[in-house]
Amino acid sequence: MQQNLLEIDDLTVRLPEGRAARPILDGVSLSVAAGEMVGLVGESGSGKSVACRSVLGLLPERARTDGEVRVAGRDVLTLSRDGLKELRTRQVSMIFQDPRASVNPMRRVGDFLTEGMRAAGVPAAAATDRAEELLDAVGIRDPRGALRRHPHQFSGGMLQRVVIAAALASRPSLLVADEPTTALDVTTQAEVIAILTRLQAERGTGMLFVTHDLELASAICDRVYVMYAGRIVETQAATDLFDRPRHPYTAGLLACTPRVEPDAAPPRPIPGRPVSLAESPSGCAFAARCAHAQERCSVEKPVLRQYDGQGLAACLRADEGILL
Amino acid sequence: MTAVTAVPETTGASGLVVDGLRKEFGGRAAVEGVSFTLRPGGSLGIVGESGCGKTTTARMLVGLETPDAGTVHLGGRDRSARARGRAERLARAREIQMVFQDPYLSLDPRISVSACIEEVLRLHFPLDAPARRRRVAELLDQVGLGEREAAALPRRLSGGQRQRVAIARALAARPQVLILDEAVAALDVSIQAQILDLLAGIRRDEGIGFLFVSHDLAVVRHITDEVVVLRAGAIVESGPTTSVLTSPEHPYTRLLLDSVPRPGWDPARISAGRRALA
């Protein structure tokens, strides 16, 4: 069997006593294969960012963890300092939402791009050449000139390309992107996504794409995981998820997203609000907002189960094929 | 191909009539020749990307910026010249209210929800304390908040609840026009749909005109009747929302539409289109 690049295996993350009533991640399992584009979708507080940061061994302070996060077979959570450094510099790169928060405003873009390569022992001239190539690959005009400029001389979209270039500098096998286009204009988002998907396909990089935008995830990913209140509630191939959601939360997310097509129905809100960290509902966390909830839904915790096809859903009524 | 300029209605007496608005920052025009009309109780979208001048336009309408040229009339009265005296300033503030994008920044963290709304009432209406309290409860009820939220400080509330407070505060002044500047952009989708629902209900019940400033065409499609598309400070296209979004005339509008992610979406083609247009 082919080994997955990334395997998060039954990961549970708890904040220290008194800071939260429920685990911020509760038995999360997901995988990314080489060359695969995997989406992780959820609203704020769903735990999607915590899950994706765990891949780099970045966890909330004093958090207790159970389970494993394996990158190329090695558990990240038990790595030594040196092991983590090696992981972060060579195997996994991360792109964050706000490019301005990712680069040092006082340093030139060239320094930012070559820093990692220089630390890895690449000679200065070779690192500069490589940085130029990378900037060219992400569609920055006059890459040589760009190396000498400072971050404030770039627009948000251009700077996010620089950040992507830097993330690719170490030729990582896995790229983790946490809402990389959320702060960008729609047309810029399209361009940045085009660059990401092209480079990902060319280099066979595995990618975990974290977003709140189910529509975007379905448009670009091979598979999508949907998270709610720290748990994965559904996973399917992107096209199936869009056409035949299995979990009422996924269906609800699709129905409440405004659509631009001329014949689209008006967005239908999901009542209530997401579960906060101070609440720990017994049974299904979505039951209080779910139109199809029965008595047992607020008692029994649904586990992820396979229904027809490849998808998994954590809903006690998923086999009935209900939709919101 | 067709240069579109929205011609303001010549009647000019009713609604919000904006004509030839212009604003420069540091010698560069941020807004240039922007004209449109929002009929009473209507809903108009101002769409565009960052830097297109949509927020500057909104700020000129409420009086947070003074236009370098052009006029703004509401109900036939000119509000583009500097207000003379406190009474006129208050009257203008009452007519047009604004809800901002970030509910984490637009509420004073030290003031409870009910006090924040009461302040607006005290400023604009000669109500006694019990009447004010009744009105506060009524306004909060209208936006779906209860007594518990009324007593709370903003930090105890979620983003969606805060945005409800901001809407209640705006409604407190009984405005004729509500300017919503990216008012649902920062909210989670499931909450965003709730607020859109709430806004649609308010418009139906109160007959308040909406000026909906947004970058999100899908949201604009569902909440506005008419739309103007701004690019680099100027209107490139305007008209009824459905026709602009179904058969856009200007290539930029088409590009914006194509950029909305959906299944079968081709970002590479969009970026090619974007470069062709630049």
Side-chain angles (χ1 to χ4, degrees), chain A residues 121-146:
Chain A
V122 180
T128 305
D129 286 348
R130 172 111 176 92
E132 210 179 312
E133 265 172 52
L134 286 164
L135 287 181
D136 189 49
V138 294
I140 287 192
R141 265 166 278 179
D142 181 25
R144 173 127 296 208

Side-chain angles (χ1 to χ4, degrees), chain B residues 221-262:
Chain B
R221 185 177 104 65
H222 290 283
I223 197 160
T224 67
D225 306 328
E226 285 178 85
V227 66
V228 297
V229 182
L230 277 185
R231 185 180 183 219
I235 295 179
V236 294
E237 183 162 2
S238 67
T241 306
T242 25
S243 62
V244 170
L245 296 189
T246 352
S247 40
E249 300 253 321
H250 196 279
Y252 180 68
T253 315
R254 224 168 297 145
L255 175 71
L256 278 181
L257 267 170
D258 288 342
S259 300
V260 178
R262 69 198 87 177

Side-chain angles (χ1 to χ4, degrees), chain B residues 62-80:
Chain B
V62 283
L64 288 170
E65 302 280 357
T66 316
D68 292 331
T71 56
V72 179
H73 286 82
L74 181 65
R77 289 182 307 283
D78 186 6
R79 50 182 289 143
S80 29

Side-chain angles (χ1 to χ4, degrees), chain A residues 40 46-54 58 94 178-179 210 227:
Chain A
L40 183 59
S46 63
K48 58 186 192 303
S49 290
V50 180
C52 89
R53 276 157 209 233
S54 75
L58 297 168
M94 184 139 178
D178 188 3
E179 306 259 14
V210 180
M227 284 192 78

Side-chain angles (χ1 to χ4, degrees), chain B residues 63-115:
Chain B
L64 288 170
E65 302 280 357
T66 316
D68 292 331
T71 56
V72 179
H73 286 82
L74 181 65
R77 289 182 307 283
D78 186 6
R79 50 182 289 143
S80 29
R82 195 170 276 283
R84 280 186 305 272
R86 178 181 152 87
E88 194 182 339
R89 258 205 329 274
L90 272 175
R92 283 192 191 177
R94 196 161 57 231
E95 287 170 350
I96 303 186
Q97 284 284 311
M98 190 156 173
V99 176
F100 296 89
Q101 170 168 4
D102 190 343
Y104 289 87
L105 295 177
S106 62
L107 299 176
D108 188 327
R110 296 161 304 178
I111 295 179
S112 77
V113 166
S114 56

Side-chain angles (χ1 to χ4, degrees), chain A residues 55-300:
Chain A
V55 178
L56 283 180
L58 297 168
L59 288 164
E61 225 176 303
R62 295 189 295 128
R64 285 174 301 136
T65 58
D66 283 309
E68 288 190 349
V69 178
R70 291 187 295 269
V71 174
R74 278 198 305 168
D75 185 11
V76 170
L77 302 180
T78 56
L79 281 181
S80 63
R81 260 180 88 103
D82 287 347
L84 275 178
K85 190 173 165 194
E86 155 93 18
L87 172 92
R88 292 171 187 166
T89 49
R90 292 184 192 279
Q91 286 179 294
V92 186
S93 287
M94 184 139 178
I95 304 165
F96 295 93
Q97 175 172 344
D98 181 5
R100 298 230 181 258
S102 309
V103 300
N104 184 341
M106 308 297 285
R107 305 279 303 275
R108 291 175 200 278
V109 158
D111 296 337
F112 171 66
L113 282 167
T114 53
E115 188 181 17
M117 290 187 269
R118 296 286 290 126
V122 180
T128 305
D129 286 348
R130 172 111 176 92
E132 210 179 312
E133 265 172 52
L134 286 164
L135 287 181
D136 189 49
V138 294
I140 287 192
R141 265 166 278 179
D142 181 25
R144 173 127 296 208
L147 290 175
R148 300 202 50 77
R149 287 203 286 275
H150 284 91
H152 74 268
Q153 292 167 293
F154 291 80
S155 67
M158 284 297 159
L159 201 59
Q160 192 63 304
R161 291 165 196 237
V162 171
V163 171
I164 291 172
L168 294 168
S170 57
R171 301 182 201 273
S173 48
L174 179 66
L175 202 55
V176 180
D178 188 3
E179 306 259 14
T181 57
T182 306
L184 307 177
D185 277 322
V186 273
T187 60
T188 317
Q189 161 168 291
E191 269 196 43
V192 169
I193 296 284
I195 290 164
L196 268 179
T197 46
R198 177 172 56 81
L199 293 174
Q200 187 244 351
E202 277 173 15
R203 292 160 192 238
T205 315
M207 184 151 159
L208 184 63
F209 191 93
V210 180
T211 175
H212 67 283
D213 189 339
L214 189 51
E215 213 96 355
L216 175 62
S218 309
I220 62 170
C221 293
D222 302 312
R223 279 185 306 124
V224 176
Y225 293 88
V226 181
M227 284 192 78
Y228 189 77
R231 294 165 69 100
I232 286 175
V233 294
E234 173 160 12
T235 170
Q236 285 208 57
T239 43
D240 295 341
L241 187 81
F242 206 81
D243 295 338
R244 266 184 316 129
R246 280 288 182 182
H247 196 284
Y249 177 61
T250 317
L253 268 187
L254 286 169
C256 74
T257 308
R259 241 168 275 277
V260 78
E261 289 81 26
D263 52 344
R268 208 163 13 148
I270 305 176
R273 56 183 178 76
V275 184
S276 77
L277 276 176
E279 302 163 278
S280 172
S282 57
C284 174
F286 188 61
R289 308 176 74 187
C290 180
H292 305 281
Q294 296 173 324
E295 238 170 73
R296 61 181 171 136
C297 294
S298 47
V299 185
E300 255 175 87

